[in-house]
Amino acid sequence: MEQRMSSSSQPLKAEPVTGAGFDPAHVPGITPPVSGPAPAAEPDPTEEETRAEETSDTAETAGASEALDAEEAAPAEAAEPPADGPVFEAADRRARIVADHAGVRLSLDDQACEFRWDEIGAVETETARFGKRFTITVHTPDRRWYPIEIDAPSRSDFARWEAELDAVLDAYFEDGDESKDSAQAGEEAE
């Protein structure tokens, strides 16, 4: 190997090294080789007007979305008048169930789901043989089920919760058998 010691010598010009080892964005055959920076083009006056219009539209949209966010932040229950009928509510540190005139709402930590009464096929309850877990499962007509387990403060709460949930289901849940019974009663009357 030969070295030059003089200051007048210029470094050898070499081609830039390309390849995935030197440029992670370079994949031969898939991506085009990276070229120098794109030349800056002078903006058209019409583009500047368009940007100004978009900025004003964005400001108006942001104001409207803030108003919508404020409306959504208000509790949904405040919008609906409270019903005089029975309400079932049970909760522990993580899970919560509310059944009232609007339907059944389940929540676990930060996840929540809501079912209207016409979306529910059945509601099933189960108590643990040992321990204090009360399980409520909401079944939908499309064969899906959504269980939630609630830790009761004591096992004596199970009977009270069952009675409260039965009262809500009797008041709001329309079972398919009732419509069959009323249809049969109509046929018998004729």
Side-chain angles (χ1 to χ4, degrees):
M1 184 161 135
E2 211 175 285
Q3 280 187 324
R4 297 185 187 163
M5 299 296 282
S6 71
S7 63
S8 65
S9 66
Q10 297 291 326
L12 298 173
K13 289 202 169 191
E15 282 188 39
V17 180
T18 59
F22 297 100
D23 181 12
H26 175 73
V27 178
I30 296 178
T31 59
V34 178
S35 59
E42 294 182 22
D44 291 335
T46 56
E47 288 180 8
E48 290 178 6
E49 292 172 5
T50 307
R51 285 188 194 136
E53 290 174 5
E54 289 175 358
T55 306
S56 65
D57 290 342
T58 305
E60 291 173 6
T61 306
S65 65
E66 288 174 2
L68 288 175
D69 290 341
E71 289 176 6
E72 290 175 1
E77 295 175 9
E80 295 181 17
D84 293 333
V87 175
F88 169 70
E89 185 171 347
D92 65 4
R93 58 186 167 74
R94 294 184 59 205
R96 178 183 186 88
I97 180 172
V98 177
D100 58 9
H101 69 283
V104 178
R105 290 178 296 284
L106 307 174
S107 61
L108 179 65
D109 295 331
D110 62 344
Q111 303 295 315
C113 58
E114 184 173 343
F115 303 96
R116 295 185 319 266
W117 288 112
D118 61 341
E119 297 175 324
I120 297 174
V123 177
E124 176 184 14
T125 61
E126 182 180 349
T127 57
R129 184 172 180 188
F130 302 108
K132 299 184 286 185
R133 293 214 173 194
F134 186 70
T135 305
I136 298 174
T137 307
V138 176
H139 296 271
T140 60
D142 59 348
R143 296 184 180 180
R144 294 186 184 267
W145 62 93
Y146 302 88
I148 191 163
E149 292 182 340
I150 299 176
D151 290 329
S154 68
R155 289 187 60 86
S156 62
D157 290 334
F158 292 163
R160 181 176 53 87
W161 285 353
E162 287 274 354
E164 288 177 6
L165 184 60
D166 284 341
V168 170
L169 292 174
D170 289 341
Y172 302 117
F173 184 65
E174 295 178 9
D175 195 9
D177 296 337
E178 292 177 7
S179 62
K180 291 178 186 175
D181 293 340
S182 63
Q184 290 175 353
E187 290 175 6
E188 292 174 3
E190 290 177 359

